[in-house]
Amino acid sequence: MQPGNHSQFPVFLLLGLSEKPEIQSVLFGLFLSLYLVTIFGNLLIILAIITDSHLHTPMYLFLSNLSLSDICFTSTTIPKMLLNIQTQSKAITYAGCITQMYFFTVFGLLDNLLLTVMAYDRFVAICHPLHYTVIMNVRLCAQLLLLTWLISVLGALPESLTMSQLSFCAIVDIQHYFCELPEVLKLACSDTFINNVVLYLVTGVMGFFPLTGILLSYSRIVCSVLRISTTGGKYKAFSTCGSHLSVVSLFYGTCLGVYLSSTWTHDSQTGAFVSVLYTVVTPMLNHFIYSLRNRDMKRALRKLLCNTLSPQ
């Protein structure tokens, strides 16, 4: 990075996953397909929950919000990538880059917090089944949802606000397909100490406490299930949280994979490819996990599709 020619409002160039012209059409087709599967799959889950009165329970209320969050999370990055490939333009404005980073962080935090709330819901359902409807009442569910959205919206602000104070060269090449915060920080011309402190602080707090909540919930669930005398009872208890546990493992597994890959290699191109795991693959697989592993959801989806496709 040259020390001169700084600009307060630079133009960022998203170089994408590859600059080879011959594979741009392949990337466009692949990511368009993945994006459409993610959108329609999660929309189906939301519609199935809305239209089926049997799914009007806290667990499915949180699941519908998770599906909405996954749609928004993917939509912060992939449409811009597809537009750049289609128009053969790599540019994104300074304001557009900060806006993308902000909403990417918002919905990433929201996914994390919703998984924590869903773990608490499973804890109450398995460990306190007789008091479940009393504890997980409408008021508490609304408060939990409001809190997750509020924390996500406010929690993403410090990183974006500190980023807006940095200066960059007039034209900045980003070896990525979206404005990922750590990658953009490497390209700043000014001191990024405060930004790195804020980044690690927010990541630590928003990673440690939700993960701790999930682990505590499942430790209590395991202890409660082990006290059940029959094998059938244990299986039934574990089956109620199997889908959620799979999604949690996928979410934190991909995040850990991205962290380890960034530790082992400083190649930005490799980091961009690994980022596909949590920006595209995870939101796409979440609805498959819930629709294939959950009997009530499969029944609701069949009912929705039959009502939609059947002639009036």
Side-chain angles (χ1 to χ4, degrees), residues 240-260:
T240 61
C241 54
S243 299
H244 176 259
L245 195 55
S246 300
V247 172
V248 168
S249 301
L250 181 64
F251 180 84
Y252 283 101
T254 52
C255 289
L256 180 62
V258 171
Y259 173 76
L260 292 177

Side-chain angles (χ1 to χ4, degrees), residues 93-145:
T93 63
Y94 175 77
C97 190
I98 291 182
T99 302
Q100 187 183 64
M101 281 190 291
Y102 172 73
F103 284 105
F104 180 82
T105 306
V106 166
F107 294 113
L109 293 176
L110 184 59
D111 264 17
N112 194 16
L113 293 171
L114 284 171
L115 290 174
T116 307
V117 171
M118 292 170 76
Y120 175 72
D121 173 75
R122 292 299 83 206
F123 156 71
V124 176
I126 293 173
C127 298
H128 305 284
L130 299 179
H131 300 94
Y132 177 74
T133 54
V134 176
I135 298 174
M136 299 302 296
N137 55 66
V138 175
R139 182 179 179 182
L140 179 62
C141 291
Q143 289 173 340
L144 287 173
L145 282 177

